[in-house]
Amino acid sequence: MTSADDIKNKLMAELPATHVEVLDVSGGCGSMFQAIVVSEAFDGKSRLQRQRLVNEKNYSPSQYEAAQAQTA
């Protein structure tokens, strides 16, 4: 199961973020998270572009394996 710390660590590794907060807002089951990300990578970007930058850095385990296989 993915934890808030897993997501935070992934975002910190993938984005040049100066601040990342990730909260499990699902009541503890890990099905929904809220994230606050502060990054210079968002400068000049629309809300949708910022959302896409964050979402493209998140994978399920099977999606991550597929992405790794494509780059190998």
Side-chain angles (χ1 to χ4, degrees), residues 3-5 7-8 21-26 32-36:
S3 72
D5 285 337
I7 294 171
K8 179 180 178 177
E21 288 179 47
V22 179
L23 302 171
D24 182 346
V25 294
S26 65
M32 187 170 27
F33 296 91
Q34 176 182 359
I36 298 171

Side-chain angles (χ1 to χ4, degrees), residues 5-62:
D5 285 337
D6 293 336
I7 294 171
K8 179 180 178 177
N9 292 336
K10 177 74 172 169
L11 289 169
M12 291 292 290
E14 297 289 335
L15 288 171
T18 57
H19 179 81
V20 176
E21 288 179 47
V22 179
L23 302 171
D24 182 346
V25 294
S26 65
C29 70
S31 66
M32 187 170 27
F33 296 91
Q34 176 182 359
I36 298 171
V37 182
V38 179
S39 173
E40 290 184 11
F42 299 144
D43 283 345
K45 304 273 192 279
S46 70
R47 174 175 257 186
L48 180 59
Q49 290 170 319
R50 293 189 311 254
Q51 184 71 31
R52 287 179 176 158
L53 278 173
V54 171
N55 285 341
E56 73 183 27
K57 305 299 181 188
N58 294 300
Y59 300 99
S60 70
S62 60

